[in-house]
Amino acid sequence: MITVRFSAAQIDQIIAHAREAAPNECCGLIGGTSDGEVRSLYRTRNVAADPLVTYEAAPDDLFAAQRKMRERGDQLVAIYHSHPRSTDPEPSQTDVRLAYYPSAVYFIVGLGNEEPCLRAFRISERHGSWEPAEFKIRNDRKE
């Protein structure tokens, strides 16, 4: 299992997306190297019927992101979305049922507290289960 590795700025971008989309859920893709180094984030529009409680990435956004990943030599490393009212997010039954990318790590941003909470999961749609996953944040901000 790979450990997904982000820069602090990339984490900030994911959290900013979640805050901008609130009270709706946001969603996006994370591209990178086969060993888990994140190189690019791809925001996608949430076109779910009820975006307050679920997400569905716009198909044209998914195709565009996947095309850019191929052009850059990246692969899909992870998927992210938000649970705007959650203080300690974990995958919902819908998240598990729709986890179609078994090799991806799934990140969920909870915005229910003053400080956002980002958690990572390995989800098996086939087995209807999930488990926490580890990730690392590099502190490489330029002061």
Side-chain angles (χ1 to χ4, degrees), residues 10 29-32 37-42 68-69 72 74-75:
Q10 290 165 330
L29 304 181
I30 300 170
E37 188 71 30
V38 172
R39 296 202 302 201
S40 51
L41 304 174
Y42 302 90
K68 286 181 187 174
M69 279 186 240
R72 293 176 175 166
D74 287 347
Q75 61 184 345

Side-chain angles (χ1 to χ4, degrees), residues 53-75:
V53 295
T54 191
Y55 75 97
E56 178 184 340
D60 53 332
D61 292 354
L62 281 176
F63 295 133
Q66 291 171 336
R67 186 172 39 255
K68 286 181 187 174
M69 279 186 240
R70 276 194 306 278
E71 289 169 3
R72 293 176 175 166
D74 287 347
Q75 61 184 345

